[in-house]
């Protein structure tokens, strides 16, 4: 049963309201505003009926105290005929609505039902926002590597500011996930996030998609339509693959970002904008600027806060976490019960360079889980191009670039430790794999103060 607290200086009003509502709600009433605030703290009601004038006490002051301690609490003001202006002020201070005395009980019941439904919808929005924040911030962005920790720190710093963000990284690294994490964990999370893939929309349609158009602006424009910027007003627009935007359209985008206003195609009027802009690209925009393929002024306008996503081959320490997360996700989607991956299959996956990054890893695992006959993904379940590939190490290979700067001693120490872990601490197998004696391995372990297992 929903709970209501009534605060009114007339005992007769408290009694009549309690009588009218007690069949449908748990009601507590008081003529003392201080006692009313104490009951709100203890009862945690769903709604408060508050008199605008409680003896010598200003109900607006009580309203401010209540909303200060309980911002989401729904408060309906009760007012006399001569204080309508004060009721408007009450609405500005956070009251849901107001009722005039003498109170019509049918109107009271209707307003209370509407207010409680409003409270329910507000809570649903908050819940969905929290779920979206959790999904895009904590569940989808996986990584313990230094590169990903830096990304997480940047997301925390920029999520509640309005500065433009440029996300760079190869295809499949999760640039859209970062954009969503910024939006859904920030102050604009209850507003729209509009996404535009600048590479997927034909050039002649991209302008109308971004800025909208009026009826008759071009052949086929049978009605007016808002663009993505208008739809994102108050929220965020994510311009994916911004490096593929045509030069002519770049100039128009620059004007929108500079003036914070947009004009529909075929219109002479402008609309003011309050939009947070996040852009992303897999291209070298600095190089594109030098080649005259991207406007320098637009680049600097977008490049206020840069966030770079490292490719998967440079964050192999996150591979186990990613594999575990993706297997769990696909188990839910595909109604499967795959528990993990065999050591040999993992060895193949860990030696692969992933030109398609996390998106490619997800495709590999999804395919492997379809073919897996048991609870574990085996080598034979992996795609053919992985099974037939032989590890290759060549000069300048990017898989070795992460080790540049390490001493040979440190490189040897890391390699021994990794091999030992691969063999579950079994020293004989480790020595055989390294093609050294067990005694030499033991000496190395002592030398590098590695823990023997």
């Amino acid at each position: 049963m929903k709970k209501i607290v009534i605060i009114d200086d007339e005992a007769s009003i408290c009694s009549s309201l309690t009588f009218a509502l007690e069949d449908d709600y748990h009601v507590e009433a008081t003529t003392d505003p201080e006692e009313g605030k104490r009951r709100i703290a203890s009862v945690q009601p769903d709604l408060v009926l508050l008199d605008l004038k409680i003896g010598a006490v200003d109900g607006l002051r009580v309203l401010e105290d209540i909303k200060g301690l309980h911002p989401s609490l729904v408060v309906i003001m009760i007012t006399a005929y001569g204080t309508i202006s004060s009721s408007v002020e009450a609405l500005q201070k956070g009251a849901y609505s107001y009722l005039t005395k003498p109170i019509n009980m049918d109107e009271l019941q209707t307003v209370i039902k509407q207010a409680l439904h409003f409270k329910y919808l507000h809570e649903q929005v908050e819940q969905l926002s929290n779920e979206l924040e959790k999904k895009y911030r904590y569940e989808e962005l996986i990584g313990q590597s230094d590169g990903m920790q830096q990304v997480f720190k940047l997301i925390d710093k920029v999520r509640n500011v309005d500065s433009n963000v440029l996300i760079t990284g190869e295809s499949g690294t999760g640039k859209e996930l970062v954009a969503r994490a910024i939006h859904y964990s920030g102050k604009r999370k209850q507003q729209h996030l509009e996404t535009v893939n600048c590479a997927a929309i034909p050039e002649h349609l991209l302008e109308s998609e971004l800025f909208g158009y009026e009826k008759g602006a071009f052949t086929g424009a049978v009605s007016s339509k808002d663009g993505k910027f208008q739809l994102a007003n108050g929220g965020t627009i994510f311009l994916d693959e911004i490096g593929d935007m045509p030069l002519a359209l770049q100039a128009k985008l620059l004007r929108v970002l500079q003036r914070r206003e947009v004009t529909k195609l075929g219109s002479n009027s402008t609309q003011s904008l309050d939009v947070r802009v996040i852009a992303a690209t897999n291209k070298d925009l600095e190089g594109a600027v030098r080649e005259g393929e991207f406007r320098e002024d637009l680049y600097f306008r977008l490049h206020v806060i840069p966030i770079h996503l490292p490719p998967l081959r440079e964050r192999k320490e996150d591979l186990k976490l990613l594999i575990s997360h993706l297997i769990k996700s696909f188990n839910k989607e595909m109604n499967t019960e795959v528990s993990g991956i065999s050591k040999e299959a993992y060895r193949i996956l860990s030696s692969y360079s992933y030109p398609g990054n996390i998106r490619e890893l997800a495709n590999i695992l999804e395919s492997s889980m379809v073919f897996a006959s048991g609870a574990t993904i085996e080598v034979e379940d992996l795609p053919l191009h992985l099974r037939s590939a032989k590890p290759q190490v060549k000069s300048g290979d990017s898989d070795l670039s992460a080790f540049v700067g390490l001493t040979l001693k440190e490189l040897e120490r890391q390699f021994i430790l990794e091999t030992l872990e691969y063999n579950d601490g079994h020293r004989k197998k480790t020595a055989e794999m390294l093609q050294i004696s067990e005694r030499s391995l033991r000496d190395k372990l002592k030398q590098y103060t590695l823990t023997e297992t």
Side-chain angles (χ1 to χ4, degrees), residues 400-419:
L400 297 177
S401 61
F403 302 106
V404 174
L406 296 179
T407 63
L408 286 174
K409 181 177 179 180
E410 176 62 19
L411 186 59
E412 183 182 59
R413 189 193 76 82
Q414 288 192 23
F415 191 67
I416 290 174
L417 182 60
E418 193 71 26
T419 308

Side-chain angles (χ1 to χ4, degrees), residues 429-441:
K429 289 182 179 179
T430 302
E432 290 175 352
M433 186 172 288
L434 295 172
Q435 296 186 9
I436 60 176
S437 65
E438 285 189 66
R439 180 175 179 178
S440 295
L441 175 61

Side-chain angles (χ1 to χ4, degrees), residues 294-332:
F294 200 85
R295 292 181 64 104
E296 184 177 37
D297 44 8
L298 178 58
Y299 171 71
F300 286 118
R301 177 69 63 171
L302 296 171
H303 193 261
V304 178
I305 300 175
I307 298 179
H308 179 69
L309 279 173
L312 184 52
R313 63 180 175 276
E314 293 179 7
R315 44 178 291 221
K316 287 290 187 68
E317 58 266 52
D318 294 332
L319 193 59
K320 288 183 179 178
L321 285 173
L322 288 165
I323 290 173
S324 176
H325 166 75
L326 289 168
I327 287 176
K328 288 179 182 177
S329 297
F330 286 132
N331 274 333
K332 291 180 181 178

Side-chain angles (χ1 to χ4, degrees), residues 8 47 54 57 85 95 98 163 171 174 178 203 215 241 372 404 449:
D8 194 296
L47 183 143
I54 313 169
V57 179
S85 61
Y98 65 87
S163 303
S171 294
V178 172
E203 181 177 344
K215 180 180 179 180
E241 304 302 347
V404 174
T449 63

Side-chain angles (χ1 to χ4, degrees), residues 176-190:
E176 185 172 351
L177 288 178
V178 172
R180 290 181 177 276
I182 292 171
H183 174 78
Y184 286 114
S185 64
K187 63 181 182 180
R188 295 175 180 262
K189 63 183 177 182
Q190 293 185 4

Side-chain angles (χ1 to χ4, degrees), residues 250-269:
Q250 291 177 29
K252 295 181 180 180
L253 173 62
L254 179 63
R255 283 198 300 273
V256 170
L257 299 183
Q258 288 174 332
R259 299 177 183 177
R260 292 291 170 180
E261 60 184 25
V262 65
T263 303
K264 288 183 177 181
L265 291 176
S267 173
N268 294 320
S269 61

